[in-house]
Amino acid sequence: MQDVTDLQDEAFEGTTRESLLDVVQERLQKTGKSKLISRLIYVARFIRKEQSVEAHKTFHSKIIEKHQDGEVSGFLLCYPWCMIHLIEARTSSLMSILRDTLNSGQQNHGMVEARVIASTEDIPSRCFEGWHAAFVSSGSHASQMDPVDSTTIVKDATEVNNFMRKVGPSLLGLSEIELRRKLYALESFFDDVPAPELVLALVPAEDAPTLDEYLDIFDVPLSIDLDSEQVWPMPSHPRI
């Protein structure tokens, strides 16, 4: 992913202050590509304990169906107190999905807090053919955890990222019955399903942006304050 500072400088140089997403998409057009597919993973903590994936599956599937013209794929993995969500879509559609999710309100999306732990633009290929959801029951009674520190967050986020991406190829070519069986008993097929305590510890980690912060970075026109705009009267420019 390109350095954010470079993209900010490029956005500021234009006649209007664009979002970083606008800059990325403009560069895409210049390279001759027809569309940009991105992958994003975020983790979240629930406002209440869940017994199944159904409520969150229904909520997220409705939003994804709304933007399905962007060819959305991915995987929602829910635990009793938290979740991991991987989304693959055109970058503009992905941003719209995140914004619609937040705008629905806490009582609808059911999340206390959510943070982006992985984001990749212009992925070479998708991990998933469609969008799927699964639930992992847990004997853990933890509903929240202290945040992981800055020395381990990259390792922990990478562990979650690698697992979620690994699930997709394993679902290819399955019949509908086989697919349901595998999603229903995910821990029987994978011995490295992330522990819910790990997910709960990533949620409050300040080294990762919240969904609001992520959208403010990439999907809101940049607001860059110059020193001269903070001073009154404005300083006169020296004559050359």
Side-chain angles (χ1 to χ4, degrees):
M1 185 184 299
Q2 184 171 4
D3 188 87
V4 170
T5 304
D6 293 340
L7 293 173
Q8 287 176 329
D9 290 342
E10 187 170 335
F12 181 62
E13 288 173 359
T15 56
T16 60
R17 292 180 179 179
E18 301 174 305
S19 70
L20 296 188
L21 175 59
D22 293 329
V23 175
V24 171
Q25 290 182 321
E26 182 178 353
R27 286 191 172 187
L28 172 70
Q29 293 176 350
K30 290 179 180 179
T31 63
K33 295 183 179 179
S34 59
K35 61 182 179 180
L36 179 68
I37 302 297
S38 296
R39 180 186 299 118
L40 178 140
I41 301 176
Y42 68 89
V43 294
R45 181 165 62 91
F46 296 144
I47 60 177
R48 65 180 68 88
K49 186 177 182 180
E50 299 292 350
Q51 302 296 331
S52 74
V53 72
E54 294 308 317
H56 292 279
K57 179 180 178 181
T58 298
F59 168 79
H60 289 284
S61 63
K62 286 180 179 178
I63 292 180
I64 285 173
E65 184 62 31
K66 176 182 175 182
H67 299 283
Q68 198 50 259
D69 58 340
E71 301 172 4
V72 183
S73 55
F75 181 42
L76 173 67
L77 179 58
C78 289
Y79 303 79
W81 282 106
C82 58
M83 74 179 207
I84 312 168
H85 197 182
L86 180 152
I87 310 173
E88 299 168 326
R90 294 182 184 181
T91 307
S92 57
S93 297
L94 197 155
M95 298 295 175
S96 297
I97 289 170
L98 296 182
R99 194 165 294 286
D100 284 356
T101 298
L102 290 177
N103 289 342
S104 69
Q106 189 180 77
Q107 290 303 313
N108 291 308
H109 60 60
M111 301 182 296
V112 176
E113 186 178 19
R115 289 187 185 269
V116 175
I117 62 168
S119 176
T120 307
E121 299 164 357
D122 196 15
I123 58 176
S125 61
R126 295 173 183 264
C127 291
F128 293 85
E129 282 190 335
W131 185 83
H132 308 283
F135 185 80
V136 174
S137 59
S138 171
S140 171
H141 297 291
S143 59
Q144 60 185 91
M145 298 288 291
D146 291 334
V148 296
D149 58 41
S150 57
T151 62
T152 60
I153 186 173
V154 173
K155 172 182 174 296
D156 292 343
T158 300
E159 178 182 329
V160 173
N161 186 359
N162 289 341
F163 171 77
M164 295 292 282
R165 292 171 58 195
K166 182 173 67 175
V167 172
S170 76
L171 303 180
L172 299 177
L174 299 182
S175 67
E176 189 64 30
I177 294 177
E178 292 171 331
L179 178 61
R180 286 201 301 267
R181 183 186 302 123
K182 193 163 193 175
L183 292 174
Y184 181 78
L186 205 65
E187 289 180 299
S188 299
F189 294 92
F190 297 98
D191 57 8
D192 57 346
V193 177
E197 292 87 352
L198 172 61
V199 180
L200 287 169
L202 283 168
V203 173
E206 295 184 357
D207 294 276
T210 65
L211 290 187
D212 283 309
E213 290 168 343
Y214 182 84
L215 287 168
D216 284 344
I217 293 171
F218 287 97
D219 201 28
V220 173
L222 293 173
S223 177
I224 302 176
D225 293 331
L226 302 178
D227 289 342
S228 60
E229 294 176 342
Q230 303 297 322
V231 179
W232 185 260
M234 292 182 64
S236 58
H237 294 286
R239 295 181 179 178
I240 301 178

